[in-house]
């Protein structure tokens, strides 16, 4: 996903065609300082997918705007929601 820290409000949705292929855009109001934006992204993504924040884990990109998260939720409903958010 592509992170936009310091946004006016939190928003999950949209597509970013980056160097690693298409990515979901997540804008958060938190600044990119001391991991605050990353934590805000994790929570915003969990809310958008309808899963608990504990079920969303950062895998790659702690200090980058491009991040990879893993969703460990048992239900598959979040996959359909993710597909809708990327469009």
């Amino acid at each position: 996903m592509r992170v936009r820290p310091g946004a006016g409000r939190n928003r999950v949705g949209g597509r970013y065609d980056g160097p690693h292929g298409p990515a979901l855009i997540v804008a958060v109001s938190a600044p990119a300082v001391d991991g605050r934006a990353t934590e805000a992204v994790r929570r915003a993504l969990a809310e958008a997918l309808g899963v608990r924040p504990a079920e969303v884990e950062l895998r790659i990109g702690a200090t980058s705007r491009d991040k990879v998260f893993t969703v460990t939720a048992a239900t598959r409903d979040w996959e359909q929601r993710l597909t809708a958010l990327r469009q």
Side-chain angles (χ1 to χ4, degrees):
M1 72 189 39
R2 178 67 169 191
V3 176
R4 293 189 176 154
R9 63 184 176 95
N10 292 354
R11 186 173 98 71
V12 178
R15 178 182 169 134
Y16 172 75
D17 291 316
H20 305 292
L24 176 66
I25 297 172
V26 180
V28 293
S29 59
V33 177
D34 297 330
R36 286 190 268 177
T38 299
E39 178 60 18
V41 167
R42 187 176 72 83
R43 291 181 177 279
L45 182 58
E47 182 178 336
L49 297 178
V51 299
R52 295 178 307 140
E55 295 174 314
V56 178
E57 181 181 334
L58 178 67
R59 302 304 277 174
I60 300 170
T63 60
S64 172
R65 288 182 189 254
D66 296 314
K67 300 182 184 303
V68 175
F69 285 87
T70 300
V71 179
T72 60
T75 180
R76 294 285 194 196
D77 292 343
W78 64 265
E79 290 179 0
Q80 293 172 335
R81 291 180 187 184
L82 179 60
T83 300
L85 290 170
R86 284 189 276 184
Q87 297 175 351

